[in-house]
Amino acid sequence: TPISFMAPIAVGSVLPDGKIFLFDENDQLQTVTVHSLLAGKKVILFGVPGAFTSACSLQHVPSFIEKADQLKAKGVNEIICYGMNDPYVMKAWGKTFPENKHVKFVSDGSGEYTKLLGLELDLKDKGLGIRTRRFAMLLDNLKVTVANIETGGEFTVSSAEDILKAL
């Protein structure tokens, strides 16, 4: 039987609260709530199906690293890369982008927050299990103002360029 997923979060919605994991500036693993991290800010939250995978590593993350200064110039306070890999994998992956100054890597290793967002992607046929759909959202004080959510494994609407156009 196919797995049923919730409807994805949409423009106008307020981001639900939930726990995610990240390494702080002192390299300590922290559990934080999404609301404590993002409230009161203009934020780009972009999701990836998997750390170290080709489209994510070669296109999606680099697009945000390359455009970070332009995005910040348009009022974006935070740029966050989000995935269901564990926090240690997300940290190691982040270190493979030495030119990165602004993109933070956060983890939803258990997939609980991805489920709250309705952004699960079944990649079991590729050996990856349930993952996060590729997406890019613009949030203003936790409210979704842009929700560019990909279908399947595509990379057509969720790049930094797509978000820049929407700003």
Side-chain angles (χ1 to χ4, degrees):
T1 58
I3 297 167
S4 67
F5 298 130
M6 288 173 37
I9 191 161
V11 169
S13 302
V14 173
L15 216 58
D17 205 4
K19 289 189 176 118
I20 54 173
F21 303 86
L22 56 85
F23 280 89
D24 65 18
E25 54 282 344
N26 299 317
D27 214 23
Q28 298 300 305
L29 180 61
Q30 301 291 332
T31 304
V32 298
T33 67
V34 170
H35 283 195
S36 71
L37 188 65
L38 308 182
K41 298 176 183 170
K42 196 173 203 176
V43 178
I44 294 166
L45 179 67
F46 72 98
V48 295
F52 296 102
T53 58
S54 51
C56 304
S57 293
L58 301 175
Q59 297 171 281
H60 204 184
V61 171
S63 79
F64 283 97
I65 291 172
E66 288 160 16
K67 303 286 186 202
D69 288 331
Q70 291 173 56
L71 293 163
K72 293 265 188 181
K74 291 197 177 254
V76 171
N77 304 110
E78 300 269 7
I79 303 169
I80 298 182
C81 177
Y82 168 94
M84 277 175 64
N85 296 97
D86 72 64
Y88 296 90
V89 168
M90 291 299 284
K91 176 177 100 166
W93 188 39
K95 289 189 180 210
T96 67
F97 302 99
E99 70 282 18
N100 179 30
K101 291 177 185 55
H102 300 294
V103 176
K104 286 184 181 159
F105 289 77
V106 304
S107 165
D108 175 34
S110 65
E112 289 174 26
Y113 194 69
T114 297
K115 191 177 217 164
L116 279 178
L117 295 176
L119 293 175
E120 298 148 299
L121 176 64
D122 186 341
L123 292 176
K124 288 189 281 213
D125 61 331
K126 294 182 171 51
L128 297 171
I130 304 296
R131 293 299 180 115
T132 304
R133 281 169 70 175
R134 186 181 310 283
F135 70 87
M137 285 191 278
L138 184 60
L139 310 165
D140 195 347
N141 192 23
L142 303 174
K143 189 171 184 183
V144 180
T145 58
V146 175
N148 293 349
I149 300 169
E150 302 285 1
T151 308
E154 292 179 2
F155 180 52
T156 57
V157 297
S158 62
S159 72
E161 292 79 6
D162 295 309
I163 293 292
L164 262 174
K165 283 182 217 157
L167 282 167

